[in-house]
Amino acid sequence: MAQHRAIVIGTGFGGAVSACRLAQAGFAVTVLERGRRYDQAVPEFPQGPPDQWLWKKTGGMYDVRPIDQMRVVQSAAYGGGSLIYANVHLRAPADVFARGWPEGYSREVLDPYYDLVAYMLDVQPITRSPGGAPPKTRQMVEALSRLERGGQSFYPPLAINFSDDPTLRPNKFGVLQGGCVDCGECTLGCRHRARNTLDMNYLPLAERAGAVMRTQCEVELIEPLSGAEGQRYRVTYRDHGRGGQVLSEEAEHVFVCGGALNSTELLLRCREAGAMRQLSEQLGAGYSGNGDMLALGFDVAAPFEPDRGPPITVGVVYARPGGRDAGWFLIEDGGFPKELWPILRLARPHTHWRSPMFTALHRRWTATAEPPTADVIDEIVEAASKQPPPPVTPEEMRHTAVFLVMGRDLANGRIELVKGDRKLSVRWDVASNLLLYSVAERLAQDIVTQLRGNYAVSPLWRFAHLPITVHSLGGCRMGDSAADGVTSGLGEVFNYPNLFVLDGSILPAATGVNPSHTIAAVAERNIEQIIRRITGQEGWTAPERAHATPYADPLTAIAIPTEGTSPPRHTGLGLMFRERLAGSWESRAEGAAAGRAAPRRVRLRLRITISYLARFISDPAHPAVVTGTVFAEGLTARRTAIKEGVWNLFAAGGTGPDREIRYVLPFYGDGGRRFTLRGARVFRSRGVAALWRMWREGAALPFRIQEGDDEQGRVVGEGMTRLRAIDVVHLLLSFRVPGGRILPDKTRAVFGFLAFFFRALFQIARGR
């Protein structure tokens, strides 16, 4: 009987499980991984500035992708995300599987596979560490106790070898490992080989069983082939280790395991190239950032020591009935090595965009520049990543706390290729997920207050309302048919037999917890059934399953009160409203050629979203996110969506008392060209007696349209819109309050915003 051939793309949690089990079942397995190996006895991890770790710079293990409405961090390495994640293995609660998952899935069904993964990765909590809990663990536990949330706190299982012996010794799979020395470098790769990453278990077992590992090989195309031997697939890849040589492999069975973003992008490009025209229309839908959010506390009273011990050691559950979006999330303590300090210090709460820190990192900044857009913040972060790490831990860093949020967002994003330049895009509706983010911020602020620190969020969220996720999910989600999913409950791609996707992209919804454990457990379940189907061996199981015993998941033991956990002490409400502006614009090119260009219509339909009203008012930038549409005659045939829009209320235009309401509205024109509409409604000091005149002047919005995202980009045209009286009425009637569950809350938010607005208006009029 001929040996079954399989190609596995990727070595993350789905790919490592698939390669291991297929090889153990006797398949001829070839594994293609775009990253390099770091599994030497003394791993050759890069040293120095963070930019030396980047995939796009040096082929490093960190692949940071600034994609439209989401900033994504993922891995490119042998072992996938296990090399950079925080080691946490939590099970998704039972109610996660009650909505959106295909038939046959439940927590009860997955529990034996969770147990198997727990055995393979030898998970255990920080309480098993012979060195004891690090300072940040103790401080977090004490803060939660003072907040009366000790009953919902937990110690997550960690895939770490907690041994007080750093000597390299064979683990139960015969791979050399050392013990954890609390160096705090987990997310940069463990030089002591103490983390139970996938190159310590699944992947070496796969190689031992005959799997061929080919690293630095990036897959570009999958093509179905038909012949006398039945359905086969050709996988074309670029071998970066051989100077970019393009090669191909063929096999009857292909497993796409590149991660949610990469697997979805690969299939989208296969469809674009005409190789897979029958892929479901659901391809790209159901994207989730797993509710990820980064919060920080600067200048906390006692040393938090974020660079000691594992990055995550303790967490707390927030659960409230009656709300899917904000009803369930986790907050976990965080840690980071000193190499990342030049980047994280940018989040200090009082860092203004004109501060010396920002100016030094972004040389073309001027005293009158507009607040930073998402692209400018990306440039600033990139500049900070080039700074060498401090030789020793700075005292300021020792007193900095980090918190990681994961929650059940709506999984209503979409991954797609942008028309024209075909770049990857993620459409993410911040507004519909705003309640989750807002409540999580408030609870994080409660914890920071208990630590007597100053609360902060990432600059991308503060200035541009852009989430950062390290847990991309969805895009190739499972379903019961091609009408509601891309893959079956086994991960098999509809209309393409024996083409499977086994990674986070097939999860139909956010897990609300660190998702690696669920990704691996689903892969174990599916690969077992796939092997049984292909080989006809109905009783086949993983050899290690006989050794796996039930593991007590800490979340399962937490008792949530019937009425839910208590709400955050910090009161925080968001605000959304709509604004309509209409006017005209003139093309510069046509004006230069004809002496005067004919005016063209322009219409703006904007939705302005403030995630956390109290922070919006206290922040001198007063930033909000803008979604909606732009119609610019001659550039867009119809209304087109705004990408990463930013709105700033009463921003300073210089050193005087005048203030501006600024609009930065990126959009795509016909043919996929990217433009940005920039404008400002200016309010000049006229005295209280001339308040009406000041308002009439401020109702006008002069703007320019530029190519690309750069503030210095070529100006395409200029124009003017105006806020009419009927538009003001429409605006006032459009107020909505995410997070406001009762009328007094909603009233307080709306009147709080209006009071701030008119108070600021009077101060401008009086020249203050």
Side-chain angles (χ1 to χ4, degrees):
M1 182 175 178
Q3 188 179 27
H4 300 289
R5 288 186 52 80
I7 295 174
V8 177
I9 302 168
T11 57
F13 286 96
V17 168
S18 300
C20 179
R21 301 313 180 203
L22 288 166
Q24 289 175 330
F27 283 63
V29 179
T30 299
V31 179
L32 300 174
E33 164 59 52
R34 64 176 176 146
R36 55 155 293 185
R37 297 181 77 138
Y38 295 92
D39 57 345
Q40 301 90 344
V42 180
E44 297 176 356
F45 295 118
Q47 303 294 316
D51 71 336
Q52 294 183 13
W53 301 80
L54 296 179
W55 167 255
K56 68 177 182 178
K57 296 283 187 181
T58 63
M61 66 173 69
Y62 267 91
D63 185 13
V64 181
R65 304 190 67 176
I67 304 176
D68 275 6
Q69 296 163 14
M70 183 75 72
R71 294 301 184 261
V72 177
V73 180
Q74 55 187 8
S75 178
Y78 180 71
S82 74
L83 266 67
I84 67 170
Y85 82 143
N87 315 300
V88 176
H89 284 265
L90 290 169
R91 305 186 182 195
D95 57 342
V96 167
F97 304 99
R99 182 173 43 239
W101 286 70
E103 186 178 353
Y105 277 92
S106 68
R107 171 63 183 274
E108 184 180 12
V109 166
L110 279 182
D111 267 336
Y113 302 100
Y114 277 127
D115 292 334
L116 176 55
V117 176
Y119 169 79
M120 295 293 297
L121 300 179
D122 200 19
V123 300
Q124 48 194 323
I126 189 66
T127 52
R128 301 283 183 86
S129 172
K136 62 189 180 71
T137 310
R138 298 192 295 270
Q139 289 189 48
M140 179 81 164
V141 170
E142 292 168 4
L144 293 173
S145 177
R146 291 192 294 270
L147 289 169
E148 299 180 342
R149 295 185 183 274
Q152 290 85 49
S153 65
F154 61 91
Y155 297 106
L158 305 175
I160 295 178
N161 179 27
F162 286 122
S163 167
D164 56 3
D165 184 1
T167 307
L168 294 180
R169 301 180 186 278
N171 65 15
K172 61 189 175 186
F173 303 115
V175 182
L176 291 177
Q177 277 197 267
C180 178
V181 298
D182 285 345
C183 69
E185 296 181 358
C186 288
T187 54
L188 293 183
C190 182
R191 291 176 292 160
H192 308 282
R193 297 174 62 85
R195 300 171 65 223
N196 301 329
T197 49
L198 296 171
D199 55 349
M200 298 288 176
N201 33 71
Y202 281 103
L203 292 172
L205 285 180
E207 285 193 278
R208 199 172 302 160
V212 176
M213 301 291 175
R214 293 184 178 162
T215 55
Q216 296 182 281
C217 293
E218 187 171 15
V219 174
E220 297 182 340
L221 187 65
I222 304 172
E223 300 170 276
L225 306 172
S226 297
E229 298 178 354
Q231 183 81 28
R232 294 172 61 83
Y233 294 91
R234 179 190 296 125
V235 177
T236 302
Y237 60 94
R238 188 175 298 276
D239 190 334
H240 297 294
R242 297 184 180 181
Q245 184 178 357
V246 177
L247 303 168
S248 65
E249 295 270 346
E250 293 185 13
E252 303 90 38
H253 311 93
V254 174
F255 295 81
V256 181
C257 311
L261 209 63
N262 293 338
S263 291
T264 306
E265 180 179 12
L266 176 58
L267 293 186
L268 283 168
R269 295 196 183 282
C270 288
R271 184 169 66 186
E272 181 78 8
M276 294 187 185
R277 298 185 186 276
Q278 298 181 57
L279 288 168
S280 167
E281 290 299 317
Q282 293 296 315
L283 180 60
Y287 174 81
S288 164
N290 204 42
D292 282 7
M293 173 174 278
L294 177 69
L296 302 99
F298 287 90
D299 308 314
V300 298
F304 199 74
E305 306 286 6
D307 59 341
R308 283 186 55 189
I312 292 176
T313 59
V314 65
V316 64
V317 176
Y318 179 90
R320 298 284 293 177
R324 177 182 173 189
D325 47 1
W328 207 98
F329 61 84
L330 303 178
I331 294 184
E332 298 168 336
D333 68 327
F336 61 93
K338 66 181 186 302
E339 283 80 1
L340 297 181
W341 176 240
I343 297 174
L344 287 177
R345 68 192 293 260
L346 294 174
R348 288 196 66 88
H350 302 300
T351 299
H352 194 272
W353 69 84
R354 292 195 188 94
S355 70
M357 184 188 303
F358 270 31
T359 303
L361 292 170
H362 195 61
R363 295 298 180 186
R364 62 180 175 81
W365 222 243
T366 65
T368 58
E370 62 191 24
T373 62
D375 292 318
V376 168
I377 296 171
D378 287 335
E379 292 179 23
I380 292 170
V381 170
E382 183 176 356
S385 75
K386 297 176 182 177
Q387 294 190 336
V392 296
T393 303
E395 190 66 17
E396 183 184 12
M397 175 179 157
R398 295 183 64 231
H399 288 263
T400 298
V402 178
F403 305 97
L404 306 172
V405 178
M406 275 145 278
R408 297 181 195 167
D409 62 33
L410 296 178
N412 57 347
R414 191 173 189 98
I415 305 170
E416 57 191 11
L417 296 176
V418 177
K419 186 177 180 181
D421 59 15
R422 316 316 297 160
K423 289 182 180 178
L424 195 68
S425 170
V426 171
R427 279 197 283 136
W428 182 247
D429 188 353
V430 169
S432 65
N433 290 282
L434 194 59
L435 183 55
L436 169 64
Y437 295 135
S438 178
V439 176
E441 273 203 80
R442 290 161 53 200
L443 183 52
Q445 194 164 357
D446 284 352
I447 298 171
V448 172
T449 298
Q450 291 299 319
L451 297 174
R452 290 186 289 165
N454 296 311
Y455 176 75
V457 291
S458 82
L460 282 160
W461 182 252
R462 175 184 169 191
F463 289 115
H465 279 50
L466 275 177
I468 302 173
T469 183
V470 295
H471 298 130
S472 287
L473 302 172
C476 300
R477 59 184 178 182
M478 296 183 289
D480 292 316
S481 70
D484 56 17
V486 179
T487 61
S488 70
L490 277 183
E492 188 170 26
V493 178
F494 288 119
N495 300 321
Y496 293 93
N498 292 325
L499 174 63
F500 301 91
V501 182
L502 291 182
D503 57 22
S505 69
I506 66 174
L507 269 57
T511 63
V513 303
N514 311 69
S516 298
H517 206 43
T518 300
I519 294 169
V522 169
E524 286 278 22
R525 170 200 182 266
N526 287 1
I527 201 66
E528 179 183 84
Q529 295 188 35
I530 291 167
I531 290 171
R532 290 175 178 179
R533 188 185 79 179
I534 294 173
T535 65
Q537 301 176 33
E538 296 183 2
W540 189 91
T541 59
E544 291 77 19
R545 192 163 179 183
H547 306 291
T549 57
Y551 186 91
D553 178 70
L555 292 184
T556 307
I558 291 178
I560 303 296
T562 305
E563 69 278 9
T565 56
S566 58
R569 296 181 181 180
H570 275 83
T571 57
L573 300 169
L575 190 69
M576 291 190 295
F577 57 91
R578 297 182 183 275
E579 190 172 73
R580 304 186 307 188
L581 295 158
S584 61
W585 75 285
E586 296 180 0
S587 167
R588 271 197 176 182
E590 292 180 0
R596 180 174 178 80
R600 300 179 175 187
R601 293 175 297 160
V602 62
R603 294 194 184 94
L604 307 178
R605 298 292 183 266
L606 311 178
R607 179 168 66 173
I608 297 166
T609 303
I610 300 166
S611 65
Y612 189 2
L613 192 56
R615 183 163 55 82
F616 168 86
I617 291 173
S618 64
D619 192 320
H622 308 307
V625 65
V626 184
T627 55
T629 61
V630 173
F631 168 70
E633 189 177 10
L635 294 181
T636 64
R638 59 186 66 84
R639 292 191 298 176
T640 185
I642 293 166
K643 303 283 187 180
E644 301 178 6
V646 178
W647 183 85
N648 294 91
L649 179 63
F650 296 146
T655 57
D658 295 352
R659 292 294 183 267
E660 301 172 349
I661 301 180
R662 291 179 177 153
Y663 300 75
V664 180
L665 310 177
F667 64 96
Y668 286 101
D670 296 340
R673 294 174 63 198
R674 190 169 171 102
F675 300 96
T676 302
L677 186 151
R678 286 182 166 84
R681 295 165 52 201
V682 181
F683 293 80
R684 296 182 174 85
S685 175
R686 299 293 189 187
V688 176
L691 192 60
W692 175 246
R693 180 185 171 190
M694 184 180 75
W695 171 256
R696 283 181 57 84
E697 291 176 348
L701 174 63
F703 64 86
R704 65 186 186 276
I705 299 176
Q706 295 173 271
E707 284 188 342
D709 302 296
D710 196 324
E711 189 184 356
Q712 309 301 321
R714 185 178 73 86
V715 177
V716 176
E718 297 173 333
M720 176 78 72
T721 65
R722 182 169 290 277
L723 190 69
R724 302 166 300 173
I726 187 64
D727 297 324
V728 174
V729 173
H730 176 269
L731 185 155
L732 294 173
L733 293 176
S734 70
F735 279 118
R736 299 292 182 270
V737 183
R741 298 186 180 277
I742 57 176
L743 185 60
D745 277 350
K746 298 179 180 181
T747 303
R748 180 164 52 89
V750 173
F751 279 92
F753 173 79
L754 293 176
F756 165 73
F757 181 91
F758 286 111
R759 183 171 62 251
L761 205 61
F762 272 98
Q763 289 175 340
I764 297 167
R766 297 170 64 185
R768 295 185 177 180

